[in-house]
Amino acid sequence: MITCSPPRKISHVACGGFHTAVISGSDAVLCFGRGKEGQLANGGQWNETVPCNVGLLSGEYITDIACGRYSSFCTIDHGARLFAWGDTPLANRMYTSYPRPVPFP
């Protein structure tokens, strides 16, 4: 069992190859697991056994979350904006340990 301090209501869960991301309420993303490729958005490439807050997204209205093998994604404002982090071509084919907006054509 994974616990958060303080306890939080979880509204969405997504699992990647070696990490998990959750939406707490509608305004926070928490990630934990393997972080070598930046998929936890913890500012580095280390693992987390306890859910850590993706601080750059705090206070945003987060509507969905998804994980790839080494990446994480979330939509904000009912899909109006998409953010990506980790090892993903949507973040310019490089590891990014912070959420980056993905431009729409």
Side-chain angles (χ1 to χ4, degrees):
M1 177 169 78
I2 301 294
T3 58
C4 296
S5 181
R8 300 172 185 236
K9 179 181 176 189
I10 303 301
S11 60
H12 292 78
V13 176
C15 298
F18 304 97
H19 73 292
T20 301
V22 301
I23 299 175
S24 172
S26 63
D27 65 351
V29 174
L30 306 170
C31 294
F32 57 98
R34 176 181 163 152
K36 184 176 179 185
E37 293 78 20
Q39 65 268 45
L40 302 183
N42 58 7
Q45 294 179 324
W46 55 86
N47 302 337
E48 297 282 356
T49 57
V50 175
C52 60
N53 192 5
V54 178
L56 292 177
L57 298 173
S58 293
E60 296 281 1
Y61 183 66
I62 301 156
T63 51
D64 207 356
I65 190 110
C67 294
R69 184 175 177 125
Y70 302 120
S71 54
S72 303
F73 310 87
C74 74
T75 57
I76 295 176
D77 299 330
H78 296 288
R81 294 183 290 159
L82 173 66
F83 283 79
W85 59 96
D87 182 13
T88 170
L90 295 176
N92 298 323
R93 293 194 173 275
M94 55 190 273
Y95 298 155
T96 173
S97 57
Y98 297 101
R100 289 188 179 185
V102 176
F104 287 96

